[in-house]
Amino acid sequence: MENEKRQLIFLKLGGSLLTDKTGVEALRADVLKRLAVEIKEARDELPQQGLILGHGSGSYGHVAAAQFGTRAGVDSPQEWMGFARVSDAAARLNRQVCSAFLDVGLPATSLQPSASAVCENGRIVQLASEPVAAALKAGLLPVVYGDVAFDVVRGGTIISTEEVMGYLAARLKPTWLLLAGETDGVLDQSGAPIPKITQENLPSYESSLRGSRGTDVTGGMSSKVKGVLDLVEAIDGLSVRVFSGLQPGSVRDAISGRGRQLGTVIVRSQLFD
């Protein structure tokens, strides 16, 4: 393993990995089934290691959210209807993800973020972490996802999977956040994965970071990298890996610690000095 102290891992399966984000509710069912098997294999190999899973909304929630402008705020009856439709779309994908996990024997338990989340101008200020911790203690696989949320300033908004997992990470203290998408990592201008990103070297890459393919209402790659850097600076011992889940075996290897060369690692500089 990369870190003997690793006790808890957060794994995010990106919406671009699970769905075709250029379509509408276009699930990659074969990819989802393979990923479920890989996660099951990793858990069987390391049964004492905690795992929390999150997934993006891809061509489900993002398409609906873009149609109604939910991220920016909710006020009119039409916008609240949109809020409800976005919630429904995100939950539909979540049910398919959890069902696929259950089919391979993973005790996947959906924990809907909007049931407890409260935001202030787009930032999560309240989210129940106790049910997630209880699910872990019971040996379950907690599953969270990008969702709608009530907001004291905007009325309603969208919270990304990274924002949900970042809030939970500050309280549950994972040692790795694994971000599995459809690209081989954070790519530079030539299309090659950047091996390591820190606050110090980000400016040299920032102009070349590629945006998300398809519809994404929660920001492209540049904003996500900045958010991840803020997270690793705020949480002691946290490292982040961005890699492709399309490569068979990569998710299993990342969880087990064998995927040392996968994608891009985002860390505090001193961890690699």
Side-chain angles (χ1 to χ4, degrees), residues 21-247:
K21 289 179 71 174
T22 65
V24 178
E25 301 201 1
L27 179 70
R28 290 173 166 171
D30 55 337
V31 172
L32 174 57
K33 183 176 180 179
R34 174 179 58 79
L35 293 172
V37 171
E38 290 189 24
I39 294 167
K40 178 65 162 57
E41 291 172 346
R43 276 178 60 97
D44 288 346
E45 181 180 345
L46 298 168
Q48 300 305 314
Q49 185 164 265
L51 179 65
I52 295 174
L53 191 135
H55 66 82
S57 285
S59 59
Y60 285 71
H62 283 290
V63 171
Q67 178 184 354
F68 295 103
T70 309
R71 177 84 168 180
V74 182
D75 181 50
S76 69
Q78 182 180 4
E79 289 169 343
W80 280 115
M81 176 58 78
F83 181 93
R85 291 191 180 279
V86 173
S87 174
D88 182 54
R92 273 200 303 279
L93 178 58
N94 177 250
R95 292 313 314 157
Q96 295 194 67
V97 170
C98 289
S99 292
F101 292 160
L102 288 165
D103 285 346
V104 300
L106 285 167
T109 303
S110 176
L111 297 170
Q112 183 180 9
S114 58
S116 66
V118 177
C119 292
E120 184 175 342
N121 203 23
R123 183 176 65 87
I124 301 173
V125 294
Q126 180 179 315
L127 180 70
S129 61
E130 294 84 359
V132 181
L136 280 174
K137 186 177 180 180
L140 299 171
L141 175 61
V143 182
V144 298
Y145 57 98
D147 199 3
V148 297
F150 294 100
D151 190 300
V152 296
V153 175
R154 301 181 186 179
T157 190
I158 299 289
I159 47 176
S160 71
T161 316
E162 285 93 341
E163 289 165 340
V164 171
M165 298 189 91
Y167 186 94
L168 293 173
R171 286 145 185 83
L172 301 178
K173 309 296 184 185
T175 52
W176 279 93
L177 169 58
L178 306 174
L179 302 177
E182 66 173 347
T183 59
D184 292 327
V186 181
L187 306 182
D188 63 17
Q189 197 163 15
S190 70
I194 303 166
K196 180 181 71 172
I197 295 178
T198 66
Q199 290 284 10
E200 287 75 12
N201 72 3
L202 177 63
S204 64
Y205 295 114
E206 193 169 356
S207 64
S208 65
L209 295 183
R210 297 184 174 185
S212 298
R213 188 175 70 94
T215 305
D216 190 339
V217 298
T218 57
M221 183 58 73
S222 180
S223 65
K224 290 181 180 181
V225 168
K226 291 176 183 177
V228 168
L229 277 169
D230 289 343
L231 198 62
V232 299
E233 291 294 332
I235 301 175
D236 288 339
L238 177 65
S239 300
V240 178
R241 186 179 300 280
V242 183
F243 66 103
S244 172
L246 290 177
Q247 177 184 339

